[in-house]
Amino acid sequence: MALLLLVVAAAHMFYTPFTKVEESFNIQATHDILFLKQNFSHYDHHEFPGVVPRTFIGPLILSILSSPIVLILEFFSFPKYYSQYVVRFVLLTLVTLSWKSFRKTVVSVFGKQVGFWLTIITLSQFHFIFYMSRTLPNILVLPIVLLALTAWFKKENNRFIWLSGVSILIFRSELSILFGLLLLHNLFCNQIKFKSFLHTTIIAAFAILSITICIDSFFWNKLIWPEGKVLWYNTILNKSSEWGTSPFLWYFYSALPRAMGFSAIFVPFGLYLERRIRALCLISLMFVLLYSFLPHKELRFIIYVFPVLNVSSACYCSAIWKNYQKSALNRLKAVVCVGHIFLNFGFTMFLLLVSSVNYPGGEAIQKLNSIDSSPNQYVHVSNLVAQSGLTRFYQRGNWIYNKTENLKYNAESTLAFDYLLVEQNSKSLDEINSLQMNFIQIDQVYCFNKISIQYKYFNPVSIDMKPCVIILKRKTQIFKREPDYEGLRRLAIENIKEFRNSKIMWRIVEEYHNSRLSKSKINKNTSVKANEKQDEIKLLIDKISKLDLSEYCDLEKIDIKECLKTVIDVVEG
């Protein structure tokens, strides 16, 4: 049964291979650990730290488990984006194994038939399966949460406390509500002694905090407890509401019905029939209720309760199926139980189809990679592209990617770019029209727009698409063009960040750096790997970008190329 769950989740993953911005930190950090290794200064989180810091422990575990397969892929020269599939598959495998343990415990408590219905119900629902391979903080902690719930079922209190501590202190602090309520239940029912609870909790908290602070302080290069920062920012300061708010009962009337599908109908009936599931289900619903006080709400925030509520639905369906021969009413109920599975599958297929056309950034970068494989291209990606699929797994190592937000699409701002991946809207279209002399549209990516009802057709539901991303290529790439040194000089004076990322600067530094290497007696017979050269050049550009060039040359008078050569000589000694 667990193998079937793994296969279905993998199918979801391959059908929707790209990621969203919420997954960005963990997927980028995993990439950096796998490919940059000890080159910590070039890790993505230094340039894009995010609103709040996140723990590196999840990406570190994923990297360690993925590394054998990634090394094999590298050896056979597979494209790097294959490694992203590997990382996501490792994550969904971890979730599957923990769900298997949870299901095994359910079978031992409620019987094999309840375990069977739990599997079928879970397979028929969309969101749990869809999220299993996504590198969200909520999913990285999900295997630990399922193991903690398993320990709670088995009354393994010490193991439950340790797993709860890892979940809360390292990954998701809001789980203190769920696990805190479960611990209070155990204390109230005398299933654990207060002295034993206090002793285990203090030791676990000290050990877990020490681990996360040590590991994350190393990667962030400062003393830090990431989840403590997240708790302060999202809960104490309530800053998460800046990303949108929802009504108080949104989880109950929107998130839970969508996530559970038609199985949500059977939850109260399962609670009525099976008293052994009542405590866990009611505490889970209490967690959702208390968590509703935070105005910013997302379905993934409560994903931990879906398997628990599914147990209640499975208990009801199992009870009905056992007694379906006793009366006509029971036979009708059995048909409803079986029928709702097919309805769930239909709803899941529809949501999967919608989700597959909701990652225009990933599709755009994939199209660009298929269009051009030449080295040293300079690409600007719009905010939509960066948030809907672009990760370092899909970036070419010898290309430069600029993610400047709200870039003005005019001749001066785009002078150094070879490609532009532009979000298509009325504002950008007006600006793009002014670039027709310099750029040509070579492709377009469509994405989800809305759902339409068409009563006259056999398929009454239609998914309407809209153009989302335009891929523009510089016309002058068709022939060799001289670098715009005057434009680069203005960038150096006006915007040091753009100057640092400029492709023209990259070419000048690369050319002069390589010429210095070839002239060096030490390096005369030394073969330097291409990726090592790229790292040296990146480090050199980082050093140059931190200098005040006016101390070395008069940018108003001197040629920028000569100025850079002078600075390189100083930096490299």
Side-chain angles (χ1 to χ4, degrees):
M1 287 296 187
L3 180 61
L4 186 58
L5 184 72
L6 183 72
V7 171
V8 173
H12 278 62
M13 180 190 74
F14 284 108
Y15 195 68
T16 55
F18 305 115
T19 60
K20 279 288 180 73
V21 64
E22 295 86 357
E23 306 166 59
S24 179
F25 172 80
N26 288 311
I27 197 71
Q28 303 287 48
T30 305
H31 167 277
D32 294 344
I33 296 170
L34 282 169
F35 291 97
L36 299 184
K37 299 179 175 63
Q38 293 90 359
N39 194 2
F40 300 115
S41 63
H42 286 79
Y43 276 33
D44 183 78
H45 70 286
H46 292 306
E47 189 173 359
F48 303 101
V51 179
V52 288
R54 293 291 181 182
T55 180
F56 268 86
I57 292 177
L60 189 59
I61 294 170
L62 287 181
S63 303
I64 292 170
L65 296 177
S66 304
S67 58
I69 303 176
V70 170
L71 287 172
I72 293 172
L73 294 177
E74 279 191 286
F75 181 79
F76 288 103
S77 301
F78 278 86
K80 191 165 62 171
Y81 67 82
Y82 278 71
S83 299
Q84 181 166 303
Y85 285 101
V86 173
V87 170
R88 291 184 59 190
F89 186 80
V90 166
L91 177 57
L92 77 85
T93 301
L94 293 175
V95 177
T96 302
L97 291 174
S98 59
W99 181 88
K100 179 183 179 182
S101 177
F102 176 77
R103 179 188 175 278
K104 185 178 179 181
T105 303
V106 169
V107 168
S108 67
V109 175
F110 302 102
K112 289 184 178 180
Q113 198 168 91
V114 172
F116 172 80
W117 278 99
L118 174 62
T119 303
I120 298 301
I121 288 172
T122 303
L123 287 171
S124 71
Q125 295 167 343
F126 172 72
H127 288 90
F128 186 82
I129 304 290
F130 178 78
Y131 278 121
M132 280 176 65
S133 66
R134 303 209 159 266
T135 55
L136 297 157
N138 314 82
I139 307 305
L140 291 177
V141 74
L142 186 57
I144 306 170
V145 172
L146 289 171
L147 292 175
L149 293 174
T150 301
W152 188 86
F153 256 130
K154 293 180 175 181
K155 297 181 173 55
E156 298 174 350
N157 292 311
N158 286 344
R159 183 164 174 256
F160 172 71
I161 291 171
W162 275 90
L163 291 168
S164 300
V166 171
S167 303
I168 295 166
L169 297 176
I170 296 179
F171 293 101
R172 298 297 297 185
S173 55
E174 75 271 8
L175 283 165
S176 58
I177 302 173
L178 176 62
F179 292 137
L181 291 171
L182 289 171
L183 277 171
L184 285 175
H185 171 272
N186 287 358
L187 286 168
F188 183 78
C189 296
N190 290 322
Q191 293 179 8
I192 182 174
K193 300 299 181 182
F194 182 77
K195 186 177 179 180
S196 174
F197 154 73
L198 196 62
H199 179 262
T200 305
T201 300
I202 291 172
I203 294 174
F206 178 79
I208 295 164
L209 276 174
S210 299
I211 291 171
T212 182
I213 290 173
C214 288
I215 292 176
D216 290 309
S217 295
F218 172 79
F219 280 101
W220 284 98
N221 201 26
K222 60 182 177 181
L223 186 63
I224 194 170
W225 171 33
E227 197 52 31
K229 287 271 190 179
V230 175
L231 175 65
W232 178 262
Y233 185 89
N234 288 339
T235 306
I236 308 300
L237 299 180
N238 195 24
K239 291 284 189 177
S240 62
S241 59
E242 295 176 3
W243 277 260
T245 61
S246 300
F248 181 77
L249 295 175
W250 181 84
Y251 284 128
F252 292 94
Y253 71 74
S254 179
L256 284 173
R258 281 187 291 121
M260 298 193 65
F262 294 90
S263 304
I265 299 170
F266 303 120
V267 172
F269 298 108
L271 291 175
Y272 175 77
L273 288 178
E274 182 54 78
R275 62 178 180 80
R276 290 173 296 178
I277 195 62
R278 288 175 193 168
L280 185 56
C281 276
L282 291 175
I283 287 173
S284 297
L285 292 172
M286 182 64 69
F287 160 71
V288 177
L289 180 66
L290 293 175
Y291 201 42
S292 296
F293 281 97
L294 278 180
H296 178 62
K297 299 176 175 64
E298 293 185 38
L299 183 145
R300 62 187 175 93
F301 292 166
I302 61 166
I303 195 170
Y304 327 107
V305 308
F306 301 161
V308 174
L309 298 180
N310 280 341
V311 175
S312 180
S313 298
C315 286
Y316 176 77
C317 291
S318 175
I320 294 300
W321 190 255
K322 284 179 182 178
N323 301 300
Y324 80 95
Q325 293 181 329
K326 291 186 177 180
S327 67
L329 180 61
N330 279 356
R331 284 192 287 273
L332 178 61
K333 290 179 180 179
V335 170
V336 171
C337 288
V338 173
H340 102 275
I341 297 294
F342 289 98
L343 291 175
N344 278 355
F345 274 118
F347 187 48
T348 293
M349 294 303 293
F350 173 72
L351 291 178
L352 185 60
L353 182 61
V354 172
S355 297
S356 68
V357 293
N358 210 18
Y359 296 86
E363 290 188 38
I365 202 69
Q366 193 173 53
K367 283 189 174 185
L368 180 58
N369 287 341
S370 66
I371 290 169
D372 191 347
S373 59
S374 57
N376 301 324
Q377 300 300 297
Y378 189 24
V379 185
H380 176 264
V381 295
S382 64
N383 194 40
L384 175 64
V385 175
Q387 291 188 357
S388 60
L390 176 63
T391 70
R392 287 190 166 193
F393 285 99
Y394 280 87
Q395 294 180 191
R396 296 186 185 276
N398 52 15
W399 285 28
I400 308 171
Y401 296 85
N402 182 292
K403 300 179 184 178
T404 301
E405 295 187 31
N406 302 316
L407 180 75
K408 292 183 179 180
Y409 295 112
N410 54 47
E412 185 173 350
S413 298
T414 60
L415 63 92
F417 296 116
D418 296 301
Y419 289 97
L420 304 175
L421 303 186
V422 184
E423 178 181 355
Q424 183 166 337
N425 52 48
S426 57
K427 180 183 177 182
S428 64
L429 284 175
D430 291 339
E431 293 181 331
I432 290 167
N433 289 333
S434 67
L435 296 176
Q436 290 181 355
M437 292 294 294
N438 299 321
F439 287 88
I440 183 172
Q441 179 177 329
I442 58 172
D443 215 328
Q444 193 172 38
V445 175
Y446 289 80
C447 66
F448 174 76
N449 182 31
K450 62 179 180 178
I451 298 169
S452 298
I453 305 297
Q454 43 189 18
Y455 299 102
K456 296 181 180 180
Y457 298 91
F458 176 76
N459 180 14
V461 180
S462 171
I463 298 175
D464 293 343
M465 307 281 283
K466 66 177 181 180
C468 283
V469 178
I470 302 172
I471 303 177
L472 300 175
K473 180 179 181 179
R474 181 173 289 280
K475 289 181 180 179
T476 50
Q477 268 199 330
I478 299 170
F479 53 87
K480 185 177 181 180
R481 71 182 190 274
E482 285 297 315
D484 183 352
Y485 295 120
E486 175 60 24
L488 187 63
R489 186 185 64 79
R490 289 198 301 270
L491 282 175
I493 296 171
E494 297 170 4
N495 191 330
I496 191 66
K497 182 178 179 181
E498 284 300 301
F499 173 69
R500 182 190 66 188
N501 291 330
S502 169
K503 181 179 177 180
I504 301 171
M505 177 185 177
W506 180 280
R507 284 177 175 170
I508 294 170
V509 174
E510 182 177 35
E511 178 186 337
Y512 190 59
H513 175 71
N514 289 339
S515 69
R516 283 170 55 87
L517 282 179
S518 63
K519 293 176 182 178
S520 171
K521 293 181 179 179
I522 299 174
N523 293 291
K524 189 173 182 180
N525 299 316
T526 304
S527 175
V528 183
K529 292 182 179 178
N531 61 339
E532 291 177 351
K533 283 187 178 181
Q534 293 292 325
D535 288 341
E536 289 177 8
I537 294 166
K538 287 179 182 178
L539 184 60
L540 185 56
I541 290 174
D542 282 341
K543 289 179 179 178
I544 295 172
S545 67
K546 295 173 183 176
L547 300 176
D548 183 359
L549 299 185
S550 62
E551 294 182 4
Y552 300 90
C553 44
D554 186 352
L555 292 175
E556 295 290 347
K557 297 177 180 179
I558 194 171
D559 180 87
I560 191 70
K561 187 173 184 179
E562 296 306 316
C563 179
L564 283 174
K565 288 181 178 181
T566 301
V567 174
I568 293 169
D569 288 335
V570 173
V571 172
E572 291 197 321

